[in-house]
Amino acid sequence: MPLTLTVSDEVRTLVPGFTHLAIEAHGLVNGPSDEVSSALLDDAARRLAERLAGQAPDKDPHVAAWRAAYSAFGAKPSRTRNSAEALAKRALADGGLPRINRLVDAYNAISVAHLIPVGGEDLDKIQGEMRLVRATGDEAFVTTAGGEESVEHPEPGEVIWCDEAGVTCRRWNWRQGPRTRIDDDTVNAVFLLESLTPMTREELVAAGNELAESLEKLNPGARITVRDPE
C-alpha cells in the first residue's frame, strides 16, 4: 500500500499555496557517496550559482516564501533555516556540499538545483501514515545529543511532520529525526518535495521528475513512482 500523507487544515490555512510531491521507491541499493552521486552535487552547486548570480539564497522568491512561512508559525528564519536555504548556503561556502550517501546526495542535489526543500524517509521505519500538523507541544522528537539518545518536544504551534510513533521532522523541514532517516541499509524510501507559491506546479513536477531520473540512474531496476502534487 502506498504511504498515506496528509496535510492538516490548520497548516493549509496558515500557509496557503503549500504543495507537496511524493516519490516512492522500492528495491533501492544505497551505499557511501560515489563519483556518480558526487557529480550530481557538483552540478547542482553550479546550477545554483548561475541561478543566484551572486545574490544570497534568501533573495530567491521561493526561499523568501519559506522564510515567511517559518515566521508564520513563530520560528526565526535566520536562526532555523528551511532545509533548502541551509543547503544552498553550504553549497556556496568554501567547504561545499556534504557527501552523505548515494540516496541523500541525490535528493540534496535536487534541493540545491531547484531551491526547494526535499526530504527522504526510510519507508520501513515509518509507522502508520505521515501527517503535517501544528504541534501541541506534547509530541516526542527522538534525537541524539552528545552521542546519547534524547527526547525533545516541539513548541506549541510549530509545524511538524509526524507518524504514529512521534515527530519525524521539526519546524516543517528544518531538522529530521534519526529514527526514519535514510542510511546505507535503506531499500525502500519516500522522497518529499515541498513547494510554496511562487513556485509553480510545473516547476515542482520538473524537480520531481529529475529526482526520479537520478534515482533510476543510481538504482537500475528499482520501482519508482512519482505521485501527483497535492
Side-chain angles (χ1 to χ4, degrees):
M1 291 288 292
L3 175 67
T4 299
L5 294 155
T6 60
V7 179
S8 72
D9 291 340
E10 281 187 319
V11 173
R12 296 283 191 194
T13 300
L14 181 72
V15 185
F18 170 67
T19 308
H20 68 272
L21 181 151
I23 299 173
E24 282 200 32
H26 297 263
L28 299 166
V29 179
N30 200 15
S33 302
D34 58 17
E35 290 184 2
V36 177
S37 68
S38 289
L40 292 174
L41 292 170
D42 289 339
D43 180 64
R46 177 191 58 77
R47 291 163 64 184
L48 173 70
E50 291 179 355
R51 173 173 177 157
L52 293 177
Q55 289 190 317
D58 61 1
K59 302 303 180 185
D60 180 87
H62 194 224
V63 174
W66 275 106
R67 281 185 157 237
Y70 270 47
S71 296
F73 65 82
K76 292 182 169 59
S78 294
R79 181 181 299 172
T80 54
R81 295 182 175 89
N82 68 83
S83 63
E85 182 180 352
L87 269 180
K89 287 182 71 66
R90 295 194 69 172
L92 297 172
D94 291 340
L97 288 165
R99 271 57 175 168
I100 308 297
N101 58 53
R102 297 168 79 239
L103 293 177
V104 174
D105 290 351
Y107 77 71
N108 279 350
I110 296 300
S111 178
V112 168
H114 293 266
L115 273 179
I116 179 175
V118 183
E121 307 280 357
D122 189 315
L123 272 172
D124 297 322
K125 297 174 183 175
I126 295 170
Q127 298 186 32
E129 68 176 35
M130 288 187 65
R131 297 172 290 119
L132 186 67
V133 301
R134 300 198 71 180
T136 64
D138 296 326
E139 299 89 350
F141 179 70
V142 180
T143 184
T144 55
E148 299 292 331
E149 184 176 287
S150 64
V151 178
E152 299 176 357
H153 298 279
E155 298 171 2
E158 181 181 321
V159 176
I160 57 170
W161 278 103
C162 59
D163 65 3
E164 291 180 4
V167 180
T168 58
C169 196
R170 285 198 59 188
R171 293 177 188 164
W172 211 318
N173 47 50
W174 168 64
R175 183 152 65 99
Q176 183 186 31
R179 174 172 59 88
T180 59
R181 69 186 173 196
I182 290 173
D183 59 26
D184 287 357
D185 297 324
T186 296
V187 294
N188 303 306
V190 60
F191 303 89
L192 192 64
L193 294 79
E194 301 180 290
S195 71
L196 299 174
T197 306
M199 189 175 202
T200 67
R201 181 186 179 94
E202 290 73 22
E203 290 170 331
L204 175 60
V205 169
N209 287 338
E210 185 177 340
L211 177 54
E213 291 170 5
S214 295
L215 294 172
E216 289 169 354
K217 182 178 181 180
L218 291 166
N219 297 268
R223 303 185 306 281
I224 298 169
T225 302
V226 181
R227 299 194 197 175
D228 291 333
E230 296 181 20

